Amino acid sequence: PGPADPYAPIDPYAGAQPPPGQPVPGYASPGYPPPGYAPPGYPPQYPGYGYPPQPKTNGMAIAALVLALVGFASCITAPVGAILGHVAQKQIRLTGEGGEGMAKAAIIIGWILTGLLVLLIIFYVVVIVLAITTGASSDSGY
């Protein structure tokens, strides 16, 4: 028979062992653990799994959105919510926190409600001025 194939798999149940000093095929050099295992004395390293943790949400973005939404009922808090949304966006850019969507929503909702409030105030002022001017001219005959 010819020489033994050095790359042939070794049957662990056959009792055949390589000669002393020869590396076992499939394993690292003597004294080192097999591939995929940590060296002795080191804790096992587990592969990461799942998604990375979400960044902390900026508290000012939450407050801005709440104030902007409360502006639907009160209209007074809407501009405050919009301004806080701008401040929250700047903080988020600097710190890398989450909540950018909330801050943007607070800005949009806050400024839209503020614009509607300004239009409503202008409408009331015009109606009051018209009522005073037409009321004064019609009452002049008495």
Side-chain angles (χ1 to χ4, degrees):
D5 182 13
Y7 299 106
I10 297 174
D11 183 9
Y13 300 107
Q17 294 293 325
Q22 294 289 329
V24 177
Y27 288 96
S29 302
Y32 292 98
Y37 291 92
Y42 287 93
Q45 297 186 5
Y46 301 103
Y49 57 91
Y51 295 105
Q54 289 282 349
K56 188 179 84 112
T57 304
N58 184 288
M60 194 168 295
I62 296 170
L65 185 60
V66 168
L67 287 173
L69 291 175
V70 169
F72 275 113
S74 71
C75 291
I76 296 171
T77 61
V80 176
I83 293 168
L84 283 180
H86 285 291
V87 174
Q89 268 192 333
K90 183 174 182 180
Q91 286 182 352
I92 289 168
R93 278 195 300 269
L94 293 176
T95 62
E97 292 176 314
E100 186 176 354
M102 282 192 271
K104 187 172 286 195
I107 292 169
I108 293 169
I109 294 169
W111 287 129
I112 288 175
L113 290 178
T114 301
L116 291 175
L117 176 65
V118 168
L119 289 175
L120 185 67
I121 290 172
I122 291 171
F123 175 75
Y124 280 143
V125 168
V126 168
V127 168
I128 291 171
V129 168
L130 284 175
I132 291 174
T133 56
T134 57
S137 63
S138 64
D139 287 341
S140 63
Y142 287 106

